[in-house]
Amino acid sequence: ERRALADERDTILAQLRAGTANWPEEMNGVLSKEVWKLWFQGQQQEAELRRLRAVEEGLRSLVRRLQDADLPGRLSGTERWLARPGTRVWLPGTGSLEQGVICGSNEDAHSVDVLASTGVQSVPISQLRVREGSRNEGLSVGDLVRLEQPEGIQGVLPGSLGMVVRIDQVEVPASAAVRLQHDEHGFLDVCVDSQALAVDEVADKVRPGVVVRSRRTESAEAPMGVGVVFALHGNSTAVVDFLSRWGHHCSVADLELVEDPPELEAELIRAL
């Protein structure tokens, strides 16, 4: 906006210089006043820009201090995501790495509960690795899926979103237990043919640490700005931290990923 004002001012100045000999005197007066008004607005914009830069530098300094602070119980680097429910991980198995998802933390702060195909087990954080990138073919525990054909399941609509919490490969065809949101009980576990499930590639990316915004922009309850996912629970409920509202609970379906997030806002939320 400041640059646009300056361009408009320079254009009028050029016209003023070019037309001085031929224009009536009153026209020069009008244009001179317009140039002065644009110059004054430009000066105000310059002052506001300097103020905003000072605020931004202050926030960056705050973020650096928070990131360097030695706070009790704080985990650094990728370890902080390894303590958050919903983070997909690799955990040591029998001879190979096994896929799992964090489902809870322990009192000692050095180990977490991990849900894998073999059930829930407590694993030291030091033995876990964040599982990123493309998924293996087929379903895995922790996937967010859509239940396309929920015949006979009361209160569940086609396309309902849930998390895979168990896979039984012994049965033919293979079956999977999916945890869905339920208004009365909080969640509902249903066992269905795995072929009736489809991984929601967009929703499945909503994991701890990613930057999101609310889809429900028309709702008065929807937080403004961007937020950082703190945790993802089994019934596809996400806990998101916004600067305007910390610990906001909502369905993953109400969130959308922010591809190019405001760097400072996201880092400030993560640091806090």
Side-chain angles (χ1 to χ4, degrees):
E1 185 177 354
R2 180 183 59 82
R3 286 193 295 268
L5 286 170
D7 291 342
E8 186 179 355
R9 178 198 62 200
D10 293 342
T11 299
I12 295 179
L13 273 173
Q15 292 174 347
L16 186 62
R17 295 190 184 102
T20 299
N22 301 320
W23 288 345
E25 184 66 28
E26 59 270 17
M27 180 62 74
N28 291 337
V30 170
L31 288 175
S32 296
K33 290 180 180 179
E34 187 65 23
V35 169
W36 180 87
K37 183 176 71 174
L38 290 171
W39 176 85
F40 181 72
Q41 290 176 343
Q43 291 296 103
Q44 289 181 315
Q45 291 286 341
E46 288 278 6
E48 181 65 12
L49 191 57
R50 288 193 295 271
R51 187 188 70 81
L52 290 175
R53 282 173 176 161
V55 170
E56 180 182 11
E57 182 54 38
L59 286 173
R60 290 191 183 280
S61 176
L62 173 62
V63 169
R64 288 192 293 269
R65 292 200 304 272
L66 287 169
Q67 290 173 337
D68 296 339
D70 185 17
L71 301 178
R74 161 173 276 184
L75 297 174
S76 60
T78 57
E79 285 187 340
R80 57 180 169 175
W81 310 126
L82 290 173
R84 307 282 178 82
T87 298
R88 303 159 67 93
V89 295
W90 292 107
L91 66 157
T94 54
S96 62
L97 293 175
E98 186 178 0
Q99 299 182 65
V101 61
I102 305 296
C103 62
S105 57
N106 295 324
E107 293 182 359
D108 60 9
H110 298 294
S111 63
V112 291
D113 291 335
V114 181
L115 177 62
S117 59
T118 53
V120 177
Q121 52 186 296
S122 180
V123 182
I125 291 178
S126 60
Q127 296 183 15
L128 299 173
R129 294 210 319 262
V130 175
R131 181 159 52 102
E132 299 177 355
S134 58
R135 301 179 307 101
N136 290 350
E137 292 185 2
L139 292 176
S140 64
V141 170
D143 286 348
L144 288 179
V145 297
R146 295 280 181 182
L147 192 59
E148 302 295 350
Q149 300 173 344
E151 289 91 346
I153 305 176
Q154 187 175 2
V156 178
L157 300 174
S160 294
L161 188 66
M163 181 182 286
V164 176
V165 294
R166 190 181 72 253
I167 299 175
D168 190 345
Q169 300 286 3
V170 177
E171 296 183 7
V172 179
S175 64
V178 179
R179 181 158 295 177
L180 304 167
Q181 287 186 350
H182 194 277
D183 292 338
E184 184 177 351
H185 304 293
F187 68 89
L188 176 67
D189 288 349
V190 298
C191 189
V192 296
D193 182 347
S194 61
Q195 295 180 351
L197 301 173
V199 175
D200 189 313
E201 299 291 349
V202 176
D204 200 52
K205 295 177 182 178
V206 178
R207 300 285 169 172
V210 304
V211 182
V212 295
R213 67 166 56 93
S214 176
R215 294 180 185 272
R216 303 178 61 188
T217 54
E218 74 287 349
S219 173
E221 298 180 358
M224 301 297 293
V226 300
V228 177
V229 177
F230 181 86
L232 172 67
H233 296 297
N235 63 348
S236 71
T237 294
V239 182
V240 187
D241 288 329
F242 294 85
L243 286 178
S244 59
R245 184 181 302 172
W246 296 90
H248 175 66
H249 287 65
C250 65
S251 171
V252 171
D254 293 335
L255 300 171
E256 62 180 6
L257 296 175
V258 179
E259 298 295 339
D260 188 19
E263 177 186 353
L264 184 56
E265 187 173 356
E267 285 305 313
L268 181 58
I269 294 172
R270 290 189 179 112
L272 290 171

